């Protein structure tokens, strides 16, 4: 078989082009820090990275949602704490025994005035906001849920003392607002959210201060009771027995705030635990993505240097084999 300079030249140029391509690819890898820039370069890694990146971004969304929920939960907890502190103060400073030292109508009037101020403070706390959201409004979070008018308390337009509203108020007190934070959101046969697979961010204020009346007609709502206690103190015909009845009911209702505080504490702990788990997942998936997509910078530079050395060596070799011989002109 006759081997001509042209044949050698063609084989050489093919090898040189391959070396140049390898050097260019190594340069791009060193510059971008990525193992591939097109799916066709590494279909398996590209598809694995795409699936992992979707999980990574969804996990990021969960983390951002939890951070927002923690702020809302903190606002709810602050509001409940304020209401609890006021309820504790009323239970301590406005009992019948505490009033024994009050002298006459003027003294009772001073107590009544202070009690109404505390009543307003409770309503303000019940209308606590985080941003534009009223955190104790159940599912209607964009409007102030509570309104005090002429001694009557309204929750989302309903008089909390009116027996005709009890069925509606009971439904409002049970409202839920579920948020997907990575528990594996699922629905039952009625297309309702399975409560264990989502976070319930709703906390209707009705559950804090109560609503309706007892069997003997005594109000259950703490805000209304405070107003009635103030009215009794302001009355020229102050009835100590009636006042004590109101105060006892108030004390009973205020003790239930402890359960609400405990519930918020459990929810806050759940959010913190979930956030820790998601943060660990975020770190793990970041490392996995880095291993799939990115290259070690030192290794990439070394590979580029080696490819450049190979190409330069090929250029030097080419100088000795590119000359033409007589056989190139023979047929």
């Amino acid at each position: 078989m006759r081997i001509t300079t042209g044949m050698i030249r063609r084989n050489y140029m093919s090898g040189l082009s391959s070396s140049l391509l390898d050097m260019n690819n190594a340069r791009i890898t060193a510059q971008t820090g990525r193992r591939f820039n097109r799916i066709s370069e590494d279909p398996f890694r590209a598809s694995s990275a795409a699936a992992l990146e979707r999980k990574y971004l969804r996990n990021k969304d969960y983390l951002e949602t939890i951070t927002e929920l923690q702020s809302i939960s903190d606002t709810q907890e602050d509001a409940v704490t304020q209401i609890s502190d006021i309820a504790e103060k009323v239970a301590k400073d406005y009992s019948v025994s505490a009033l024994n030292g009050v002298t006459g109508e003027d003294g009772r009037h001073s107590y009544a005035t202070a009690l109404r101020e505390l009543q307003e403070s409770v309503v303000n706390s019940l209308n606590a906001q985080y941003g534009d959201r009223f955190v104790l409004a159940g599912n209607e979070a964009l409007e102030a849920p509570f309104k005090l008018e002429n001694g009557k308390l309204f929750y989302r337009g309903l008089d909390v003392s009116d027996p005709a509203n009890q069925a509606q108020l009971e439904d409002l007190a049970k409202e839920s607002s579920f948020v997907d934070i990575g528990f594996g959101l699922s629905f039952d046969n009625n297309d309702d959210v399975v409560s264990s697979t989502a976070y319930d961010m709703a906390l209707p204020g009705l559950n804090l201060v109560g609503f309706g009346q007892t069997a003997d007609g005594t109000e259950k709502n703490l805000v209304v009771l405070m107003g009635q206690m103030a009215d009794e103190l302001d009355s020229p015909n102050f009835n100590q027995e009636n006042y004590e009845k109101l105060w006892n009911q108030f004390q009973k209702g205020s003790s239930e705030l402890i359960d609400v505080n405990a519930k918020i504490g459990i929810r806050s702990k759940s959010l913190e635990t979930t956030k820790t788990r998601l943060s660990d997942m975020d770190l793990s998936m970041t490392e996995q993505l880095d291993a799939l997509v990115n290259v070690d910078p030192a290794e990439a530079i070394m590979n580029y240097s080696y490819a450049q050395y190979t190409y330069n060596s090929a250029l030097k070799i080419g100088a000795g084999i590119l000359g033409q011989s007589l056989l190139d002109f023979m047929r």
Side-chain angles (χ1 to χ4, degrees):
M1 175 180 172
R2 184 179 66 178
I3 299 177
T4 66
T5 304
M7 294 170 60
I8 296 175
R9 186 187 304 115
R10 286 192 296 272
N11 288 334
Y12 169 75
M13 292 304 296
S14 175
L16 184 65
S17 296
S18 179
S19 295
L20 180 61
L21 179 62
D22 290 343
M23 184 181 70
N24 186 60
N25 289 337
R27 176 186 61 79
I28 293 174
T29 299
Q31 286 179 335
T32 62
R34 293 177 60 88
R35 295 182 182 275
F36 55 88
N37 290 288
R38 293 188 298 273
I39 295 177
S40 58
E41 295 175 10
D42 195 334
F44 175 75
R45 283 183 181 273
S47 61
S48 298
L52 185 59
E53 188 168 8
R54 285 193 295 272
K55 294 180 181 178
Y56 173 80
L57 293 175
R58 185 165 59 247
N59 194 71
K60 281 287 188 187
D61 288 340
Y62 289 149
L63 281 170
E64 291 177 3
T65 300
I66 286 179
T67 300
E68 184 79 2
L69 290 174
Q70 284 181 315
S71 297
I72 293 173
S73 180
D74 289 343
T75 306
Q76 290 173 335
E77 188 170 5
D78 289 344
V80 174
T81 300
Q82 291 167 11
I83 296 170
S84 296
D85 290 344
I86 293 173
E88 183 179 351
K89 178 178 177 61
V90 172
K92 177 182 178 182
D93 298 345
Y94 292 82
S95 65
V96 174
S97 59
L99 295 177
N100 286 339
V102 177
T103 56
E105 188 175 335
D106 290 340
R108 292 197 303 271
H109 176 70
S110 297
Y111 265 66
T113 300
L115 196 54
R116 288 194 176 94
E117 290 177 355
L118 292 173
Q119 183 189 34
E120 291 285 350
S121 296
V122 171
V123 175
N124 289 335
S125 296
L126 287 170
N127 289 330
Q129 284 181 271
Y130 173 73
D132 294 333
R133 181 184 185 87
F134 291 90
V135 297
L136 300 178
N139 288 337
E140 294 292 333
L142 298 181
E143 294 184 7
F146 289 91
K147 190 174 183 180
L148 184 64
E149 286 185 344
N150 301 320
K152 293 184 177 181
L153 183 69
F154 296 86
Y155 178 72
R156 287 163 59 175
L158 298 174
D159 184 352
V160 300
S161 302
D162 189 345
N165 296 330
Q166 295 310 293
Q168 287 178 272
L169 291 170
E170 287 176 5
D171 289 338
L172 292 176
K174 297 175 184 177
E175 278 188 338
S176 299
S177 182
F178 292 108
V179 182
D180 182 13
I181 56 172
F183 290 164
L185 182 67
S186 61
F187 300 84
D188 59 22
N189 294 332
N190 297 320
D191 288 332
D192 294 325
V193 175
V194 178
S195 60
S196 61
T197 66
Y199 176 81
D200 183 8
M201 65 183 293
L203 181 61
L206 278 177
N207 296 323
L208 303 179
V209 293
F211 59 94
Q213 299 174 343
T214 63
D216 63 0
T218 304
E219 295 290 341
K220 291 183 178 180
N221 184 270
L222 298 183
V223 177
V224 176
L225 283 169
M226 292 172 73
Q228 291 180 341
M229 290 165 65
D231 289 341
E232 188 64 48
L233 288 170
D234 264 341
S235 174
N237 303 315
F238 174 68
N239 187 318
Q240 180 172 319
E241 183 179 345
N242 187 44
Y243 181 87
E244 186 170 13
K245 179 181 178 181
L246 295 171
W247 180 84
N248 285 333
Q249 180 60 40
F250 180 90
Q251 189 177 43
K252 181 180 179 181
S254 64
S255 65
E256 296 175 2
L257 287 170
I258 298 174
D259 295 334
V260 179
N261 256 328
K263 178 181 178 182
I264 294 178
I266 293 172
R267 286 168 33 159
S268 297
K269 182 64 176 178
S270 173
L271 284 176
E272 188 61 39
T273 301
T274 303
K275 186 175 184 178
T276 300
R277 176 177 61 83
L278 293 176
S279 296
D280 291 342
M281 289 177 61
D282 180 77
L283 178 60
S284 175
M285 285 189 286
T286 298
E287 293 174 348
Q288 292 177 54
L289 271 173
D290 182 65
L292 275 173
V293 176
N294 301 323
V295 295
D296 179 62
E299 181 183 356
I301 292 173
M302 182 184 68
N303 290 338
Y304 172 64
S305 297
Y306 179 77
Q308 190 177 39
Y309 172 78
T310 302
Y311 177 70
N312 289 335
S313 297
L315 287 177
K316 292 179 181 178
I317 293 173
I321 63 174
L322 291 180
Q324 291 183 327
S325 69
L326 178 62
L327 293 176
D328 294 314
F329 299 98
M330 296 176 61
R331 294 187 181 274

